Amino acid sequence: MITTILAAGGAAAKGGDANPYGLEAALREGGLISQSVFTILVLMSIVSFYILFSKLFEQQKIMNQAKRVRQSFWQSNSLREGSAKLDKNSAYKQIVDDGLAAQDQHGKLTDPVEAHDWLHGSLARSEAAINSKLGGGLAFLATVGSTAPFIGLFGTVIGIYRALIKIGWSGQASIDAVAGPVGEALIMTALGLVVAVPAVLAYNWLQRRNKSIAEDLSAFSNDVLGFLASNGAVKPAMVAAAGKAPVAAARPGPGTAPGSTIATQTGGVQTRP
C-alpha cells in the first residue's frame, strides 16, 4: 500500500507544471520535518510487516510440531524416547527435556520440596519462556498502531503551517492557492493511518494465535506432569487409527464383582475410581 501511494505521488509530481501536486511535491515543500516524518512512517511499516510474517512463520512451525506430538509422541514407552522423536528446536521437546531435567534435579535437593510442586514450577518456567519468545515484537506492533496516526498528524500540522505561511507571503487566498498545499499536507495523516491500521490488525491476529498455542502448550505440559508424577501410569489416551473412534472407557462385565477396580478414561487421562 505504501508503494502504491509512492507511485501515485511520483506520477503526479512528474505531470509537469500543470499539476504540481502529489507526495513528492508535498515532501519537497514540507522540508526536513515532513521528510523525516515520512521516513519514520515508512520504516515503521516495513518493520511491522517483517514482524508479521516472521511471527506467522514461527507460529505455524509450532502448530505443525503440535500435530506431530499428537500423532506419535504419546505412543512412545518413555518421555526420553518420545523426546528423541521430536525436532531438535521443538517447543514441545523443550518442555519434555525441562521436565526430565527437573525430575533428575529433585533427587539432588537437600531441602525437602514436594516433587509435584518442583516439577510444576519447572514446567511453568519452560512454558513462560516459550510464550515470551512468541510475544517478542508484538509490543512494537502495538506501539506503531497507537503512535503512527499522531506522527502523521504532526507532519500534517507542520505542512499546513508552512502552507499557510507561504499563502500569506504570496497574498493569494483563492481556493487554487489553498487547496494544493493543504491537501498535500493532509497526505501525512493518511500515511499515518495506512501504517497504523495493518499494525493493529496484525497485533490482534498474532495475539489470538499465541493464545491458542499457549493453551496447547499448557495442556501438553499438564500431560507431561501427570506422566512424571505417576511414573508413566497416567498419560493421554492414544489416538486411534485414522477413521476410527477413540477407545471407549472400560465397563464392568456381567461377571465383575461389585468391589473390583476398573480402569477408566476421563478427559483423555487414565484414572481409577
Side-chain angles (χ1 to χ4, degrees), residues 197-216:
V197 172
V200 172
L201 295 177
Y203 174 81
N204 292 331
W205 187 29
L206 294 175
Q207 279 283 56
R208 181 63 188 90
R209 288 167 63 91
N210 278 349
K211 183 179 179 181
S212 177
I213 292 174
E215 291 173 353
D216 289 340

Side-chain angles (χ1 to χ4, degrees), residues 150-196:
F150 298 101
I151 295 175
L153 183 61
F154 173 75
T156 296
V157 171
I158 297 300
I160 291 177
Y161 172 73
R162 294 174 65 91
L164 292 177
I165 291 178
K166 184 177 179 181
I167 293 171
W169 283 346
S170 64
Q172 298 179 0
S174 62
I175 188 64
D176 295 337
V178 174
V182 173
E184 290 172 351
L186 291 175
I187 292 177
M188 291 300 171
T189 299
L191 288 177
L193 295 175
V194 167
V195 173

Side-chain angles (χ1 to χ4, degrees), residues 7 24 29 48 83 89 106 137 151 160 168 191 204 211 219 227 239 245 259:
E24 184 176 347
E29 295 296 331
S48 296
S83 177
N89 297 323
H106 181 264
I151 295 175
I160 291 177
L191 288 177
N204 292 331
K211 183 179 179 181
F227 189 95
V239 179

Side-chain angles (χ1 to χ4, degrees), residues 24-217:
E24 184 176 347
L27 294 176
R28 184 173 59 254
E29 295 296 331
L32 181 61
I33 294 180
S34 295
Q35 295 168 9
S36 299
V37 169
F38 175 77
T39 302
I40 291 173
L41 290 176
V42 170
L43 290 176
M44 279 184 166
S45 180
I46 293 174
V47 176
S48 296
F49 278 102
Y50 171 77
I51 292 175
L52 170 62
F53 291 117
S54 62
K55 287 300 172 182
L56 284 177
F57 175 79
E58 187 176 357
Q59 290 175 342
Q60 191 60 47
K61 183 178 179 181
I62 295 181
M63 290 178 178
N64 294 336
Q65 293 169 359
K67 294 178 182 179
R68 290 193 288 271
V69 167
R70 288 191 292 267
Q71 291 172 355
S72 61
F73 179 81
W74 291 111
Q75 296 178 3
S76 305
N77 296 324
S78 66
L79 289 182
R80 297 187 187 277
E81 179 183 339
S83 177
K85 297 180 180 179
L86 301 178
D87 298 338
K88 181 179 179 181
N89 297 323
S90 171
Y92 292 88
K93 180 179 177 63
Q94 176 179 332
I95 292 178
V96 174
D97 291 345
D98 289 345
L100 292 173
Q103 186 180 47
D104 296 337
Q105 293 169 357
H106 181 264
K108 302 177 183 179
L109 298 178
T110 57
D111 186 21
V113 178
E114 188 69 27
H116 178 274
D117 295 338
W118 177 258
L119 292 173
H120 183 271
S122 299
L123 292 173
R125 287 195 299 270
S126 183
E127 286 182 58
I130 297 171
N131 291 331
S132 177
K133 184 178 179 181
L134 285 173
L138 298 188
F140 181 84
L141 293 179
T143 302
V144 170
S146 61
T147 60
F150 298 101
I151 295 175
L153 183 61
F154 173 75
T156 296
V157 171
I158 297 300
I160 291 177
Y161 172 73
R162 294 174 65 91
L164 292 177
I165 291 178
K166 184 177 179 181
I167 293 171
W169 283 346
S170 64
Q172 298 179 0
S174 62
I175 188 64
D176 295 337
V178 174
V182 173
E184 290 172 351
L186 291 175
I187 292 177
M188 291 300 171
T189 299
L191 288 177
L193 295 175
V194 167
V195 173
V197 172
V200 172
L201 295 177
Y203 174 81
N204 292 331
W205 187 29
L206 294 175
Q207 279 283 56
R208 181 63 188 90
R209 288 167 63 91
N210 278 349
K211 183 179 179 181
S212 177
I213 292 174
E215 291 173 353
D216 289 340
L217 290 173

Side-chain angles (χ1 to χ4, degrees), residues 250-267:
R251 297 182 179 274
T256 304
S260 301
T261 301
I262 302 170
T264 60
Q265 296 184 4
T266 304

